[in-house]
Amino acid sequence: NNDKESYKKYLKCKDKGIQLIMIYDYEWKMYKEKIKSYLMSQLKIFSSVIDQKDTIIKGVEVDECKKFLDSNFLFNTKIEKIRLGLYHNGDLIEIEEFRKYGQDKYEIICECNYKNIVVRGGTYKLLSYFIDTYKPKQIKYKSNNRLFSGKSCTKHGFKYIKDVCHS
């Protein structure tokens, strides 16, 4: 199985402190600009860096969320009921989506920045707002180890549980 072989490569690299980024050929063909933006962000190269203090938090309407994710997010995703956005000068520049899956339990489904832009402290600002507003007892966050290191999870206080084979 190709996924199992890729997962073994991922684990070998992880053991050596190397972040392996795996992009499928169909993804490159279909999402070349999104992937270029993602790779630039991994190299810490941005066209714009905005401080979270220069943003405001608002709920994001369904149509705006869909348009934003279609243009900027690497994966197809269902639009969730809880959509929080950071706005700068009236423009949506970062979004987080949450799904409730039990009594006061939530999962972060999507985190996405506008292409080639980073909001310094943006994820923390959105997460803090979510916690203050919804008072969750538990928040689950899954990181796709095919593309991401998962470091942002622990940086924001999430507990690492395990690696799983992606598909």
Side-chain angles (χ1 to χ4, degrees), residues 2-22 143-151 160 162-166:
N2 198 21
D3 287 336
K4 287 183 182 177
E5 289 303 312
S6 295
Y7 183 65
K8 287 177 187 176
K9 286 179 190 176
Y10 158 77
L11 290 175
K12 284 181 184 177
C13 287
K14 182 181 176 189
D15 288 344
K16 294 178 182 183
I18 298 168
Q19 181 185 351
L20 177 64
I21 297 172
M22 294 177 270
S143 178
N144 182 330
N145 57 23
R146 187 170 66 79
L147 295 166
F148 305 100
S149 69
K151 289 179 183 174
Y160 168 82
K162 65 180 179 177
D163 285 312
V164 293
C165 183
H166 56 270

Side-chain angles (χ1 to χ4, degrees), residues 124 150-158:
Y124 180 78
K151 289 179 183 174
S152 70
C153 300
T154 54
K155 178 177 150 188
H156 294 293
F158 290 92

Side-chain angles (χ1 to χ4, degrees), residues 3-83:
D3 287 336
K4 287 183 182 177
E5 289 303 312
S6 295
Y7 183 65
K8 287 177 187 176
K9 286 179 190 176
Y10 158 77
L11 290 175
K12 284 181 184 177
C13 287
K14 182 181 176 189
D15 288 344
K16 294 178 182 183
I18 298 168
Q19 181 185 351
L20 177 64
I21 297 172
M22 294 177 270
I23 299 165
Y24 296 123
D25 60 343
Y26 76 89
E27 291 173 320
W28 182 252
K29 289 174 187 168
M30 291 176 58
Y31 308 114
K32 188 179 288 188
E33 291 309 310
K34 291 181 193 180
I35 292 170
K36 284 181 185 177
S37 175
Y38 163 72
L39 292 171
M40 295 295 280
S41 74
Q42 293 302 297
L43 296 169
K44 308 284 189 245
I45 300 171
F46 306 102
S47 61
S48 184
V49 178
I50 298 167
D51 193 276
Q52 56 88 13
K53 291 181 225 150
D54 299 325
T55 65
I56 61 168
I57 297 174
K58 293 192 313 189
V60 182
E61 295 295 325
V62 171
D63 290 344
E64 184 178 23
C65 180
K66 182 170 178 18
K67 184 178 175 185
F68 185 87
L69 294 177
D70 285 348
S71 296
N72 299 287
F73 198 51
L74 287 173
F75 308 103
N76 291 329
T77 184
K78 178 183 163 204
I79 304 300
E80 297 299 326
K81 290 182 181 176
I82 303 171
R83 302 171 303 277

Side-chain angles (χ1 to χ4, degrees), residues 96-129:
E96 278 192 16
E97 289 189 292
F98 300 84
R99 177 184 299 150
K100 188 170 185 176
Y101 69 92
Q103 184 70 26
D104 299 321
K105 294 180 180 181
Y106 296 85
E107 179 177 0
I108 298 174
I109 299 300
C110 169
E111 264 186 277
C112 182
N113 285 11
Y114 191 85
K115 280 187 233 125
N116 301 316
I117 292 178
V118 67
V119 181
R120 198 176 287 131
T123 300
Y124 180 78
K125 183 174 183 173
L126 285 169
L127 188 56
S128 296
Y129 178 87

